[in-house]
Amino acid sequence: MDIGDILALCKRRGFIWPSYEIYGGVAGMYDYGPNGTAMKNDIIGSWRRLYLIGEGFVEIDSNTIGPEAVFKASGHLDEFSDAIVTCQGCEQSFRADHLVDGMHPNPDSLSLDELQAVLIENGVVCPDCNGKLSDVGEFNLMFKTVIGPGSGRVGYLRPETAQGIFVNYPNLLWFVRGRLPFGTIQVGKGYRNEISPRQGVIRLREFNMMEAELFIDPKDKTWPRFDDIADQKLSLVPQDGIERTVTVKEAVEEGIIANQALAYFVWLTRRFLVGVGVDPSRLRFRQHLSTEMAHYACDCWDAEVELAIGWTEIVGIADRGCWDLSSHADHSKTDMSFFRKFDEPVEMEVDRIRVNFKSLGPRFKGQAKSIATALEAGDPSDVIDGIITVTVDGVDHKVNSDCFEVIRVRDKVTGERFIPHIIEPSYGLDRIIYTCLEHAYCKDGEGYIALKLAPSVAPIKVGVFPLMGKDGLDDMAQDIDRSLRDLGIRTSYDDSGSIGRRYARMDEVGTPWCVTVDYDSLQDGTVTIRYRDTKEQTRIPSSDVPSRVSTMLREGLLTWADPLSINK
RNA sequence: GCGACCGUAGUCUAGUGGUUAGGACUGAGGCUUCCCAAGCCUUAAGCCCGGGUUCAAAUCCCGGCGGUCGCACCA
């Protein structure tokens, strides 16, 4: 079985279709067909239930286009942008800023034109074959666009949904009435102009994400529900690369996972993934090496699943520290700090700078006021040899001691300000959907295909068939179909072809149960219910069908007799 | 982005310059007291796109798009 088998089934049965196929398709873009969309919605629903209802998070829905400043602050503009030159001889590509290393004090800061100039000045040629290099071109992984008519404002399609939550932090904090910790989720599209998208839906240019952002006090990363799950087991691959199974509690106590909150969401992620049908024996959590961790992250764990293409990341759970909020606070000049009250106010003696306006005024004239403000906010320990340097509008001013004095004052401090930390579980929805499909895919020696999907995510929950489409069997089957639909259960009524063909059709789209009305049904009111995974059938009164199906669906049971729940 | 290989109904496939592009499965309609893709009848559906060579192109050439793999890039 390879990725092609799955994609062929996905296409044939309406799960996933290449986008714009009639125009030849576009690499890295796929559409969800009716069955894929149903599954996607179920997976999102199951995720929302865990975060919104289970953990009390709130959900927002922010824009997918953002102005340049947002991505300057988020780091994506720098991190996702490279200046590229290509050798005209051997066709290899190189990072222009890497080639001028040592020829300029700060290659990172150069524009494309400046990089071009440095390359020419230094006569740089291809490091491999000494060939002539092309002009410097820009490659940005973000899709660029223009906001408004004319040249307008530069905008980008978001490369992740998270920034929409970070920039709304002040609104969110107000909404939750100023208490930490609190969590926010968002489900939506992200866009990355991948150089070579491959492997079906694993690397897409337009993709679906489900992201949660937990805002938390850096001094208290405990989690209230931690004790409830402390004894649950996790399969972890820490930085040393040695896989081990430990309890959630041990993972934190032994310092394998940095803190309770992070460990809790690793566990919650496991529960979610197994619940939607990821095979637990092909799921592990791997810690990022310090070299692969984003520059801001304190600790990061990936949920990885084993697919035909190898172990693949489908969820990342990162402790991002205060990086995001600090950066947005700096760039937007908005206060994003949180005030933590001390249990008891602290009284202490501190040194302060007091300005002497009699000297300061005449010396700095019109700038005196802004310099005074900077002085008073300054740190007395920065005074060196009676001189302190303050920066106003980017200009340094040396201020002599005759313009200020350092005084000791008694101060009552009721609390302190800090930037909350963020713990981010980020789920690649497309990869999760694909994993559910691949892990459910079964093909026997005769080529018979069944998708053993978890009932909770199956696009069709029940197939309803009359053995023959006549003699009143059809009417009775229609009634059963209606009674299930009235409960909000997705069904498929089918009276075409042979009964075996109809079962096969349902097996291929992962329908867990089929109900068949036969001639006995007309006599005694019973029908057969057939279980996908065992192919067993039992007769039950037709009036029991809706309640039995609802119960199995709610409990995650595959068959009525089997107490094994795939959610446990 | 570069290189190699590849592209015929939904799927698999026959067709190496010359009839109306053939078959199987699937799909749709019908028959059959039909419980695991049975059988019978009917039927729909295809040469990736564009240009060139030629009297004639699915077939040869060029370009594009897409796919697989490798390299590079990225996370």
Side-chain angles (χ1 to χ4, degrees), chain A residues 268-312:
Chain A
L268 190 72
T269 297
R270 182 182 191 279
R271 184 181 149 184
F272 163 71
L273 291 174
V274 173
V276 296
V278 172
D279 177 359
S281 70
R282 284 182 275 177
L283 169 64
R284 70 184 186 193
F285 288 86
R286 193 179 66 82
Q287 188 174 33
H288 275 206
L289 304 174
S290 45
T291 50
E292 68 183 327
M293 212 149 7
H295 54 284
Y296 46 77
C298 316
D299 191 9
C300 185
W301 289 81
D302 282 347
E304 294 185 333
V305 289
E306 193 176 18
L307 300 175
I309 55 166
W311 286 93
T312 305

Side-chain angles (χ1 to χ4, degrees), chain A residues 46-357:
Chain A
S46 148
W47 187 79
R48 278 204 174 104
R49 238 183 339 274
L50 283 179
Y51 277 92
L52 289 180
I53 297 171
E55 305 300 328
F57 280 37
V58 296
E59 179 171 10
I60 67 165
D61 189 5
S62 71
N63 262 260
T64 57
I65 300 175
E68 189 160 35
V70 171
F71 302 107
K72 188 76 197 158
S74 72
H76 288 105
L77 211 49
D78 294 330
E79 294 292 313
F80 275 18
S81 264
D82 291 322
I84 299 276
V85 287
T86 307
C87 172
Q88 293 173 351
C90 67
E91 306 281 1
Q92 282 202 77
S93 293
F94 303 95
R95 294 262 303 262
D97 52 329
H98 288 179
L99 291 181
V100 302
D101 230 2
M103 301 168 194
H104 189 276
N106 189 4
D108 260 357
S109 66
L110 297 175
S111 70
L112 297 186
D113 289 345
E114 289 164 340
L115 271 168
Q116 182 77 64
V118 176
L119 284 170
I120 292 168
E121 270 168 38
N122 291 278
V124 177
V125 293
C126 172
D128 264 24
C129 71
N130 295 323
K132 190 174 184 312
L133 295 174
S134 70
D135 286 352
V136 178
E138 186 186 33
F139 187 79
N140 193 321
L141 225 49
M142 283 195 293
F143 286 96
K144 195 172 190 173
T145 186
V146 171
I147 303 172
S151 58
R153 233 177 140 184
V154 173
Y156 293 92
L157 272 66
R158 64 183 181 194
E160 60 176 17
T161 62
Q163 300 305 324
I165 296 179
F166 302 152
V167 298
N168 272 302
Y169 168 75
N171 290 330
L172 286 163
L173 184 64
W174 180 257
F175 180 83
V176 301
R177 304 207 313 275
R179 273 184 281 218
L180 286 185
F182 73 89
T184 303
I185 62 169
Q186 178 161 219
V187 178
K189 299 267 195 187
Y191 306 85
R192 293 184 191 182
N193 203 1
E194 294 284 353
I195 298 174
S196 59
R198 275 178 199 180
Q199 294 164 325
V201 299
I202 297 301
R203 248 177 130 185
L204 296 172
R205 291 197 164 117
E206 173 171 337
F207 53 98
N208 291 281
M209 314 176 85
M210 305 187 292
E211 294 195 297
E213 310 293 339
L214 175 69
F215 297 91
I216 193 166
D217 185 335
K219 287 192 173 162
D220 181 12
K221 290 186 181 175
T222 58
W223 190 250
R225 299 184 63 203
F226 185 79
D227 289 342
D228 300 343
I229 56 107
D231 296 328
Q232 304 268 339
K233 293 244 177 6
L234 285 176
S235 175
L236 302 176
V237 184
Q239 288 185 348
D240 61 21
I242 300 165
E243 184 158 0
R244 68 197 80 173
T245 300
V246 293
T247 66
V248 185
K249 191 177 176 183
E250 286 163 351
V252 175
E253 283 177 356
E254 291 169 21
I256 301 171
I257 301 181
N259 56 67
Q260 278 194 6
L262 194 59
Y264 182 85
F265 286 99
V266 168
W267 173 82
L268 190 72
T269 297
R270 182 182 191 279
R271 184 181 149 184
F272 163 71
L273 291 174
V274 173
V276 296
V278 172
D279 177 359
S281 70
R282 284 182 275 177
L283 169 64
R284 70 184 186 193
F285 288 86
R286 193 179 66 82
Q287 188 174 33
H288 275 206
L289 304 174
S290 45
T291 50
E292 68 183 327
M293 212 149 7
H295 54 284
Y296 46 77
C298 316
D299 191 9
C300 185
W301 289 81
D302 282 347
E304 294 185 333
V305 289
E306 193 176 18
L307 300 175
I309 55 166
W311 286 93
T312 305
E313 172 195 351
I314 59 170
V315 182
I317 306 156
D319 185 335
R320 301 173 66 114
C322 66
W323 195 85
D324 303 283
L325 289 184
S326 299
S327 184
H328 281 300
D330 287 350
H331 283 83
S332 66
K333 302 193 175 14
T334 303
D335 181 13
M336 300 232 180
S337 66
F338 186 87
F339 188 73
R340 182 200 295 120
K341 267 175 102 166
F342 294 145
D343 295 339
E344 294 285 326
V346 179
E347 292 211 14
M348 56 179 138
E349 295 198 326
V350 291
D351 290 335
R352 284 277 168 75
I353 293 173
R354 176 189 277 173
V355 177
N356 179 358
F357 280 96

